[in-house]
Amino acid sequence: MSRELHLAGFLIASHVTHSHAAWRHPASETDYLGPGYYQRVARTLERGKFDFLFFADLLATPVRYGNDIRVPLQSGTQASATLDPSLVAAGLANVTDRIGLAITKSTTYFHPYEVARIFATLDHLSGGRAGWNVVTSLNQAEAQNFGAQDHLGHDERYERAQEFLEVAYKLWGSWDTDALVRDKVSGVFADPDKVRTVDHEGTWFKTRGPLTVPHSPQSRPVIIQAGSSPVGKDFAARWAEAIFEIDPTPEGRRAYYDDVKSRAVNFGRNPDDIKIFPSFVPFVGETESIAREKQAFHNELADPISGLITLSVHTDHDFSRYDLDAPLEDLVVPGTQGLFDVARRLSASENLTLRDIGKLYAQGVLLPQFVGTAEQVADQIEAGFTGGEADGYILSAAQAPGTFHDFVDFVVPELQRRGLFRTEYTGSTLRDHLGLGPASLTPAARRASVVA
Amino acid sequence: MSRELHLAGFLIASHVTHSHAAWRHPASETDYLGPGYYQRVARTLERGKFDFLFFADLLATPVRYGNDIRVPLQSGTQASATLDPSLVAAGLANVTDRIGLAITKSTTYFHPYEVARIFATLDHLSGGRAGWNVVTSLNQAEAQNFGAQDHLGHDERYERAQEFLEVAYKLWGSWDTDALVRDKVSGVFADPDKVRTVDHEGTWFKTRGPLTVPHSPQSRPVIIQAGSSPVGKDFAARWAEAIFEIDPTPEGRRAYYDDVKSRAVNFGRNPDDIKIFPSFVPFVGETESIAREKQAFHNELADPISGLITLSVHTDHDFSRYDLDAPLEDLVVPGTQGLFDVARRLSASENLTLRDIGKLYAQGVLLPQFVGTAEQVADQIEAGFTGGEADGYILSAAQAPGTFHDFVDFVVPELQRRGLFRTEYTGSTLRDHLGLGPASLTPAARRASVVA
Ligand SMILES: Cc1cc2nc3c(=O)[nH]c(=O)nc-3n(C[C@H](O)[C@H](O)[C@H](O)COP(=O)(O)O)c2cc1C
Ligand SMILES: Cc1cc2nc3c(=O)[nH]c(=O)nc-3n(C[C@H](O)[C@H](O)[C@H](O)COP(=O)(O)O)c2cc1C
């Protein structure tokens, strides 16, 4: 079978997406606190045969920029207000049939017993459509909400994440697929030889098990990751089955694609088992000039300060202390650097000031914008897909649910006409949609050490 | 207005209810892992104008009885397999309109920032229908799943619960009701004077805040509790707005009612602001003898060992070591005693052996069974409601969803004919259904200390 394009939709359970201006668009819905908005997006994407709808998450209102919660709240920057995405996704499991439902959970602030239980439950309630974006969390504000003064160091967070996944895999494997008997007559509920304690005692976690949740349809959620540091990319190459990426240039995306796929090979994996999803914001119009005008209208609404607040969240570094009109090359930013490196590269190559970067960040966290007619946007997708930058794309909205409607009504049919994208779901689970085989429950660490 | 009866439905996100035999009934649904079963129960109870559907929860497969997970799994005892109820309830928020959705969350194994976020999210997604059964967790098996060797002592768990609620109240109050501005034109998202950090530093918890979730429709979930120890009853009298109770006799229920209401008065509360819900299992038939035959058929399916396993869970004490044919009076059981005291009282007054108690426990954790025609069951409810034992009742199913169908189709109309129960919802939130005024966000501890 020829290679198949994959498509996902990006949301935060919030008024914004990557675009901090999304909520200001006249056509955007403003009630993101009730379930209706999410239902409309999910049903639209399901109509468009998308692989999955994804929810990012952050565990604190931004506070790093100027050490102040007031400005982020006022400007409605990213993460100034977000619902718990696991509940939003569970709600959508009840009102959709096929589309995958992927959510973000941090490995830094919860216990694996709880997180394993959440995903096993979501996988059951959705009939095998759960995905988990494994993140290690970004900043001190999140640590402080959960009782710590400082957050763990970058590499320690990844060590903890590694053991966290090992524990979760053990718990998901604590019930065999066929453990449930449910024989009403004999009264035998489960086969006790097919359920076991896990008795994990490691550096970060202890747990006895078994999980309270029987083996779920996909065995476990599809593992998604978005590390951009070397440690993060190795972690992704070991564990992930789908990877999100933010890079504004085709060259950057191709380099990332090659890098992660070859890291996966180093860990003994088939590179086809990791699907790489760069993100973009689409602007689709009847003509190219309508699309460009839509783009300009949106970008104008983006507030540079609001973007710098999110850059401060993403890097855990206060950008309020620099001259807005200086270039970025001279700034020394410690800690998490992934997205800042992208920003610095962009600033150097295009002569951009901090204010310009703030505005770009507010327009969509450095995401590329794919602009034009349905054919033109499909051309860009096809070029990236066949040109070694992507196995699929994750779309972020400039207004919601409008962006998703436009894409599903105009671009998806064009992609289908070209034979790039499915016209009907052929399977029922997220693994099916992604063309992944049955899930392994052998922790990647063990798999990797066999190879090493 | 005359006093109004309240009704709730009890479930665990599991194959059993209080009745360990429920799943063996020929008419019971067996797929409790998908969402359909919960949807059918919730819609049935909503058709019956119930105040709310409630989900109990336990965080471990039973292991105390004989130090063995095999027997509980095999016999399908309570908690041998349960989904995470917060996701199940969030799912139901999408497919119901009026019925309250209450879930259990322990204060012992999570951080209040997370739990406050879950309930604020559920309250938004359900349009103000969330309730929280605050439990301190029961046994060592739960502790061991969450990395501790032993669980905290009984009174320490309640101290932690006290601070847990104080922190949660602060977080729910961190956004004022009218903090969201969402002015697309000016770009003002929230009024920064109406959102604040909480900066809590206590004995058990630290958190900075604000919550990532704006003020929810009910301000916070309705607080539910089920303490049966003196400390537990005081905790309930301080904080709870609804209380669950298990007591097999009318005298026991009246004593509990008086006890908790007077404790509430001691804490300076209006006793009408705590609704007391004893539980029962209904068996309804066209004739009394049909109902009795239904009851006998169900009770026959209950396995005494499975009941003793749950008694061991509830008391964290191993009942496998005693003679099944001896009475209970001589046993000395340390730790949590609430339900064991009820069992001992029953054993003494009715000359029951441990095996008998096990069988009763398996039939429904010592819940009374209300048996007869619709009129007869309504008589028992009316007698308890007007006779000082209950403000409402929580129904537990002998088979599901059948028990709920029978009750809604036959008993509810009879209660409505008598003017005891609503024929239509008059409000939209769970607080409305329960006749509670606007929620206070002043922690009960502070309220109480003003009075003391
Ligand atoms: C596209 C993308 C999406 C991300 N989504 C989240 C998220 O929702 N929540 C979060 O805490 N971190 C998120 N992150 C952060 C990363 O998952 C990761 O934790 C962080 O980048 C630190 O790791 P690194 O240094 O390897 O990049 C995202 C990163 C990228 C590139
Ligand atoms: C009707 C009823 C329902 C309960 N539901 C739960 C539950 O779902 N999960 C749980 O951990 N404890 C549950 N409990 C236990 C209590 O909430 C409480 O934590 C326990 O009884 C210890 O407190 P106590 O000694 O004051 O009774 C329940 C108790 C009763 C009486």
Side-chain angles (χ1 to χ4, degrees):
Chain A
M1 201 195 79
S2 68
R3 222 173 128 237
E4 216 189 27
L5 178 73
H6 301 284
L7 291 174
F10 174 98
L11 278 188
I12 315 181
S14 167
H15 58 293
V16 295
T17 61
H18 288 109
S19 161
H20 301 29
W23 73 275
R24 296 187 60 184
H25 195 285
S28 277
E29 290 196 24
T30 50
D31 183 13
Y32 71 95
L33 296 168
Y37 166 63
Y38 303 103
Q39 290 177 12
R40 282 184 286 278
V41 171
R43 286 179 171 142
T44 299
L45 296 184
E46 191 166 64
R47 181 160 58 79
K49 316 299 174 201
F50 270 48
D51 293 65
F52 62 98
L53 170 58
F54 164 74
F55 289 92
D57 196 26
L58 290 165
L59 299 167
T61 299
V63 66
R64 175 61 69 207
Y65 186 85
N67 192 28
D68 188 1
I69 61 164
R70 296 175 56 92
V71 185
L73 287 166
Q74 192 155 15
S75 66
T77 193
Q78 214 187 27
S80 46
T82 55
L83 303 180
D84 183 325
S86 50
L87 277 76
V88 175
L92 295 177
N94 276 255
V95 296
T96 55
D97 292 315
R98 292 299 189 90
I99 190 164
L101 299 165
I103 57 172
T104 298
K105 274 280 164 195
S106 172
T107 54
T108 301
Y109 300 113
F110 309 107
H111 191 279
Y113 196 90
E114 186 195 7
V115 173
R117 192 173 185 231
I118 287 172
F119 282 102
T121 298
L122 184 61
D123 204 42
H124 278 297
L125 292 178
S126 65
R129 297 185 281 140
W132 175 15
N133 179 34
V134 180
V135 301
T136 55
S137 292
L138 293 161
N139 60 64
Q140 196 197 30
E142 297 176 288
Q144 291 184 340
N145 282 342
F146 283 84
Q149 182 51 36
D150 285 307
H151 71 154
L152 284 172
H154 180 267
D155 292 4
E156 266 184 306
R157 295 205 300 280
Y158 272 113
E159 280 168 32
R160 185 181 149 113
Q162 172 83 9
E163 189 182 324
F164 198 109
L165 281 183
E166 283 169 25
V167 176
Y169 274 55
K170 289 183 190 176
L171 289 167
W172 289 322
S174 62
W175 290 70
D176 288 346
T177 317
D178 56 351
L180 282 183
V181 179
R182 288 187 278 201
D183 181 348
K184 291 181 174 202
V185 177
S186 68
V188 174
F189 176 70
D191 181 342
D193 292 330
K194 295 181 175 165
V195 188
R196 60 200 70 82
T197 62
V198 305
D199 300 309
H200 177 89
E201 288 201 33
T203 311
W204 297 92
F205 306 109
K206 274 174 69 173
T207 191
R208 173 179 180 131
L211 200 60
T212 66
V213 185
H215 205 99
S216 77
Q218 293 186 118
S219 296
R220 57 170 174 78
V222 170
I223 303 294
I224 303 171
Q225 228 272 335
S228 52
S229 67
V231 175
K233 280 188 280 199
D234 267 351
F235 184 87
R238 273 187 171 184
W239 292 95
E241 297 163 310
I243 298 191
F244 298 143
E245 181 210 2
I246 295 179
D247 198 295
T249 68
E251 306 76 53
R253 296 194 287 274
R254 278 197 296 272
Y256 183 91
Y257 190 94
D258 290 342
D259 183 6
V260 171
K261 295 266 175 170
S262 70
R263 284 177 201 257
V265 172
N266 288 345
F267 286 113
R269 295 182 65 194
N270 179 343
D272 294 343
D273 291 343
I274 307 194
K275 309 297 179 189
I276 299 187
F277 286 80
S279 331
F280 69 85
V281 183
F283 292 90
V284 186
E286 293 84 341
T287 64
E288 183 180 339
S289 70
I290 291 176
R292 297 233 166 265
E293 211 165 319
K294 285 185 179 190
Q295 177 191 30
F297 179 86
H298 166 268
N299 289 351
E300 194 47 48
L301 295 173
D303 163 29
I305 300 299
S306 145
L308 291 180
I309 291 167
T310 300
L311 182 61
S312 299
V313 167
H314 285 173
T315 56
D316 212 14
H317 184 76
D318 179 6
F319 282 89
S320 77
R321 56 171 90 145
Y322 304 114
D323 179 359
L324 282 172
D325 297 308
L328 269 68
E329 38 196 336
D330 310 328
L331 311 188
V332 182
V333 177
T336 310
Q337 305 228 357
L339 278 167
F340 182 66
D341 284 345
V342 176
R344 198 200 310 259
R345 183 151 46 85
L346 206 66
S347 161
S349 72
E350 318 219 343
N351 247 322
L352 304 178
T353 64
L354 187 59
R355 187 194 309 275
D356 298 329
I357 290 293
K359 187 149 178 90
L360 279 178
Y361 226 86
Q363 285 164 14
V365 188
L366 307 184
L367 260 56
Q369 301 184 330
F370 287 8
V371 191
T373 61
E375 291 72 27
Q376 289 172 315
V377 172
D379 285 346
Q380 290 178 81
I381 292 171
E382 182 165 6
F385 175 64
T386 58
E389 73 171 51
D391 298 307
Y393 287 92
I394 178 160
L395 275 67
S396 195
Q399 49 146 310
T403 295
F404 297 120
H405 283 150
D406 286 354
F407 192 88
V408 164
D409 291 335
F410 301 109
V411 184
V412 166
E414 178 61 27
L415 294 169
Q416 289 167 333
R417 250 190 306 274
R418 299 181 188 192
L420 289 170
F421 192 59
R422 68 175 71 85
T423 53
E424 203 33 85
Y425 290 107
T426 52
S428 62
T429 69
L430 176 53
R431 296 193 76 80
D432 292 339
H433 306 337
L434 290 171
L436 299 167
S440 161
L441 281 172
T442 310
R446 237 182 294 159
R447 274 185 267 142
S449 66
V450 170
V451 172
Chain B
M1 202 195 79
S2 68
R3 223 172 128 236
E4 217 188 27
L5 178 74
H6 301 284
L7 290 174
F10 174 97
L11 278 188
I12 314 181
S14 167
H15 59 293
V16 295
T17 60
H18 287 109
S19 161
H20 301 30
W23 73 274
R24 297 187 59 185
H25 196 285
S28 277
E29 291 196 23
T30 50
D31 183 12
Y32 71 95
L33 296 169
Y37 166 63
Y38 303 102
Q39 289 177 12
R40 283 185 284 280
V41 171
R43 286 179 171 142
T44 300
L45 297 183
E46 191 165 65
R47 182 160 58 78
K49 316 300 174 199
F50 270 49
D51 293 66
F52 62 98
L53 171 58
F54 164 73
F55 289 92
D57 196 26
L58 291 164
L59 299 168
T61 299
V63 66
R64 175 60 69 205
Y65 186 86
N67 193 27
D68 189 1
I69 62 162
R70 296 176 56 91
V71 184
L73 287 165
Q74 194 156 15
S75 65
T77 194
Q78 214 188 24
S80 46
T82 55
L83 304 179
D84 183 326
S86 50
L87 277 76
V88 176
L92 295 178
N94 277 256
V95 296
T96 55
D97 292 314
R98 294 299 189 92
I99 191 165
L101 298 164
I103 57 171
T104 298
K105 275 281 164 193
S106 172
T107 54
T108 301
Y109 300 112
F110 309 108
H111 191 280
Y113 196 89
E114 185 194 8
V115 173
R117 191 170 186 233
I118 288 172
F119 281 102
T121 298
L122 184 61
D123 205 42
H124 278 297
L125 293 177
S126 64
R129 298 185 281 140
W132 175 14
N133 180 35
V134 181
V135 301
T136 55
S137 291
L138 292 160
N139 59 65
Q140 197 196 29
E142 298 176 287
Q144 291 184 341
N145 282 342
F146 283 85
Q149 182 51 37
D150 285 307
H151 70 153
L152 284 173
H154 181 267
D155 293 4
E156 266 183 307
R157 294 205 300 281
Y158 273 113
E159 280 167 31
R160 185 180 151 112
Q162 172 84 10
E163 189 181 323
F164 198 109
L165 282 183
E166 284 168 25
V167 176
Y169 274 55
K170 288 182 190 175
L171 289 167
W172 290 322
S174 63
W175 291 69
D176 289 345
T177 318
D178 56 351
L180 283 182
V181 177
R182 289 188 277 202
D183 181 350
K184 291 180 172 201
V185 177
S186 68
V188 174
F189 176 69
D191 180 342
D193 292 329
K194 296 182 174 164
V195 187
R196 60 200 70 82
T197 62
V198 305
D199 300 309
H200 177 89
E201 288 202 32
T203 311
W204 298 92
F205 306 109
K206 273 174 70 173
T207 191
R208 172 179 180 130
L211 200 60
T212 66
V213 185
H215 205 98
S216 79
Q218 294 186 116
S219 297
R220 57 169 173 78
V222 170
I223 303 294
I224 303 171
Q225 228 273 333
S228 52
S229 66
V231 176
K233 280 188 280 196
D234 268 351
F235 184 87
R238 271 187 173 185
W239 292 95
E241 298 164 310
I243 298 191
F244 299 144
E245 181 210 1
I246 296 179
D247 197 296
T249 67
E251 306 76 54
R253 296 194 288 273
R254 279 196 297 272
Y256 183 91
Y257 190 94
D258 290 341
D259 183 5
V260 170
K261 294 267 175 168
S262 69
R263 283 177 202 257
V265 172
N266 289 344
F267 286 114
R269 294 183 65 196
N270 179 343
D272 294 342
D273 291 344
I274 307 193
K275 309 297 180 190
I276 299 186
F277 285 81
S279 331
F280 68 85
V281 183
F283 293 92
V284 186
E286 294 84 340
T287 64
E288 182 179 339
S289 71
I290 291 175
R292 297 231 166 266
E293 211 165 320
K294 285 185 178 186
Q295 176 191 31
F297 180 86
H298 166 268
N299 288 351
E300 194 48 47
L301 296 171
D303 163 29
I305 301 301
S306 144
L308 291 180
I309 291 167
T310 300
L311 182 61
S312 298
V313 167
H314 285 173
T315 56
D316 212 14
H317 184 76
D318 179 6
F319 281 90
S320 77
R321 56 170 92 144
Y322 304 114
D323 179 0
L324 281 173
D325 297 308
L328 269 70
E329 38 195 337
D330 309 330
L331 311 187
V332 181
V333 177
T336 310
Q337 305 229 354
L339 278 167
F340 181 66
D341 284 345
V342 176
R344 200 202 307 260
R345 183 148 47 85
L346 206 64
S347 161
S349 72
E350 319 217 343
N351 248 320
L352 303 178
T353 64
L354 186 60
R355 187 195 309 275
D356 298 330
I357 290 293
K359 188 150 178 88
L360 278 178
Y361 226 86
Q363 285 165 14
V365 189
L366 307 184
L367 260 55
Q369 302 183 331
F370 287 7
V371 191
T373 61
E375 291 73 28
Q376 288 172 315
V377 171
D379 285 346
Q380 289 177 80
I381 292 171
E382 182 166 6
F385 175 64
T386 57
E389 73 172 50
D391 298 308
Y393 287 92
I394 177 159
L395 275 68
S396 194
Q399 49 148 310
T403 295
F404 296 120
H405 283 149
D406 287 354
F407 192 89
V408 164
D409 291 335
F410 301 110
V411 184
V412 166
E414 177 62 26
L415 294 169
Q416 289 168 332
R417 250 190 306 277
R418 298 182 190 191
L420 288 169
F421 192 59
R422 68 175 70 86
T423 53
E424 205 31 87
Y425 290 107
T426 52
S428 62
T429 68
L430 177 52
R431 297 194 74 80
D432 291 340
H433 306 338
L434 290 171
L436 299 166
S440 161
L441 280 172
T442 310
R446 238 182 291 158
R447 275 185 265 139
S449 66
V450 171
V451 172

